[in-house]
Amino acid sequence: MTGLGIIAGGGDLPIAIAVSARDAGKHVFVAALLGIADDRVAQFPHEWVSLGQTGRTLSLFRQHKCEDILLAGKVTRPKWNEIKFDATALRKLPKVMAAALQGDDALLRSLVAVLESEGFHVVSAAEAAPGLLASEGAFGRHGPSSQHEADIALGIGVVRALGAFDVGQAAVVCDGLVLAVEAAEGTDAMIKRVETLSENIRGTTKKPRGVLLKARKATQDGRTDLPVIGVQTVQNAAAAGLAGIAVEAGAALIVNRQGIVKAADDSGLFVCGFKSPQSSV
Amino acid sequence: MTGLGIIAGGGDLPIAIAVSARDAGKHVFVAALLGIADDRVAQFPHEWVSLGQTGRTLSLFRQHKCEDILLAGKVTRPKWNEIKFDATALRKLPKVMAAALQGDDALLRSLVAVLESEGFHVVSAAEAAPGLLASEGAFGRHGPSSQHEADIALGIGVVRALGAFDVGQAAVVCDGLVLAVEAAEGTDAMIKRVETLSENIRGTTKKPRGVLLKARKATQDGRTDLPVIGVQTVQNAAAAGLAGIAVEAGAALIVNRQGIVKAADDSGLFVCGFKSPQSSV
């Protein structure tokens, strides 16, 4: 059986995927990005690699019999001039740099192409850890109202319309009004911003209103970057006075579902998976 | 000759329109929204009115022989339960409230409908003060590079795609990457946010990069809400490390062009009007 090699960026997601794959009986090896990945990778066979060590990383995967490779976790766009590239990296670099200028999706697609040209098979988080995929319907005790469902539908439209521009995967909608759209700032910062808006158009912790919507971008390659929520997302949404969170069923990753359900139930939020309508793009 | 009645919200715009119309020889009367409009309305024939005094406002316009009415300036969405409505307001209210739930554009269209049903003619800022409309090409000493022009084109696409959802009219794009999209937070807050992003993907005051793009929403009724820039917009853009600002020629309002050109030239920014491609919506 081929092992699963994980190139781990920051945050909980690479750890959650590794745990899920290991629990499913897979052999896991982690190439942890130096200064970026979480120390909890230490519970798996692993090596620390820096961003420019493409050749070394690929050798490690071969050595550990990993043919399936997965990229996961947050990586801030690197300062290219501070990276020390090894020979393999330098050979692949021009294509990757050119792609990087075209946006995150293009950059990730180019990294996938590099790995596949070296004989690896790039797998999605959905393939490596299907247990993390959002299911349809309410996760916890609370569910969306019909107003929330209308807001979810509006948010899906916004994210779909922006997918073609390689812009974020999330929006906040409250009673028919789009309060915030995510671009480069990330979901946490976007949720936080809702708290700065006039109370007339948003909810409060006392009277929650509005929905955080996360969906897959139309252009998004599932192998590289699915939308993710975790316990922190629920806590942030509650603090911002939102009534709930909706994620695309089968196309969003749920890190620590048990913790999410508890946080949502405790704060009165709903968290639900919605069935995606056919993309209109 | 019929006079111009201005319902003045906050900020510089209503004042700039009133000055421009007066200088063009028009009779101007301002209904200044109490607690919202700027004190500089005092230089014009004016009365202070509160948001619920629809009947009184319309009487004042009739009294001052204003048949052309213009709505201008920022108005935060009101707390409906704190407004004291007069009889006329109460009569018109159900329709306006229903529209308010559908977003800013619907709310403004509904206010226009109320004014027109009372025999007034609602004019756009473009009609009342054509001198404020953005012209095509560079305003000051600096102009956009071809990279900037590519970023402008991308930003136009983003704003156009979102127009159908009644979302903001502005975006920040840097070297092909969409950094920020405006929704309910307003342009100033969106520009400010760019400063919080990683320096790898944005400009700095020392090495400016990226463009602020303001365009008319696809659904936007020109009589109620055109995109606006002022000196503060230029100062904010410079502080956020942007290289320039592009506004839609003939469809954006320039408040204090002289001041804008000076601020842009002093800080090395370009400010330009772009010809809108045919909307694809």
Side-chain angles (χ1 to χ4, degrees), chain A residues 74-121:
Chain A
K74 290 173 213 154
V75 179
T76 324
R77 280 194 160 222
K79 294 202 177 180
W80 299 100
N81 55 350
E82 289 176 7
I83 299 177
K84 291 206 179 87
F85 295 101
D86 67 16
T88 307
L90 284 173
R91 198 153 39 79
K92 304 292 186 185
L93 201 57
K95 270 196 189 168
V96 174
M97 292 283 286
L101 294 174
Q102 295 166 43
D104 284 354
D105 277 351
L107 172 58
L108 290 169
R109 275 197 304 275
S110 146
L111 292 175
V112 168
V114 164
L115 287 162
E116 301 211 316
S117 73
E118 291 287 324
F120 293 97
H121 174 54

Side-chain angles (χ1 to χ4, degrees), chain B residues 14-242:
Chain B
I15 318 286
I17 292 171
V19 168
S20 176
R22 183 183 60 190
D23 290 355
K26 276 183 200 151
H27 163 65
V28 170
F29 172 81
V30 180
L33 291 174
L34 202 63
I36 299 176
D38 192 285
D39 285 343
R40 286 170 292 160
V41 298
Q43 63 185 292
F44 304 96
H46 72 285
E47 291 282 346
W48 291 91
V49 300
S50 67
L51 267 176
Q53 295 181 315
T54 312
R56 185 173 161 238
T57 304
L58 300 182
S59 299
L60 284 165
F61 286 145
R62 287 192 182 104
Q63 206 174 304
H64 288 268
K65 312 251 180 295
C66 298
E67 282 168 27
D68 290 348
I69 307 293
L70 179 135
L71 299 96
K74 288 172 214 155
V75 180
T76 323
R77 283 196 158 219
K79 293 203 176 177
W80 300 99
N81 55 349
E82 289 176 6
I83 300 177
K84 290 206 181 87
F85 296 101
D86 66 18
T88 308
L90 285 174
R91 197 154 39 80
K92 303 292 186 185
L93 202 56
K95 269 194 189 167
V96 175
M97 293 282 286
L101 294 174
Q102 295 166 42
D104 284 353
D105 277 350
L107 172 57
L108 291 168
R109 276 197 304 275
S110 147
L111 292 174
V112 167
V114 165
L115 287 161
E116 303 213 313
S117 72
E118 292 287 324
F120 294 97
H121 175 54
V122 179
V123 298
S124 67
E127 290 171 85
L132 298 184
L133 282 176
S135 55
E136 211 184 325
F139 289 15
R141 208 185 309 143
H142 309 281
S145 70
S146 58
Q147 174 64 57
H148 297 143
E149 277 171 2
D151 286 346
I152 292 168
L154 185 55
I156 294 173
V158 167
V159 174
R160 290 270 183 273
L162 284 175
F165 301 97
D166 196 11
V167 174
Q169 327 167 60
V172 173
V173 182
C174 181
D175 296 349
L177 200 62
V178 180
L179 298 188
V181 175
E182 180 182 338
E185 74 276 21
T187 305
D188 291 344
M190 182 195 59
I191 299 173
K192 199 94 192 119
R193 169 160 93 245
V194 172
E195 292 177 52
T196 67
L197 301 176
S198 160
E199 283 194 12
N200 304 333
I201 57 168
R202 65 171 173 96
T204 59
T205 49
K206 280 188 185 161
K207 199 183 168 187
R209 285 198 297 156
V211 177
L212 165 67
L213 183 289
K214 293 202 81 167
R216 182 157 48 171
K217 277 189 272 187
T219 58
Q220 203 159 292
D221 183 333
R223 287 175 300 185
T224 50
D225 188 20
L226 286 176
V228 182
I229 63 164
V231 175
Q232 188 66 53
T233 319
V234 177
Q235 288 165 346
N236 291 347
L242 297 183

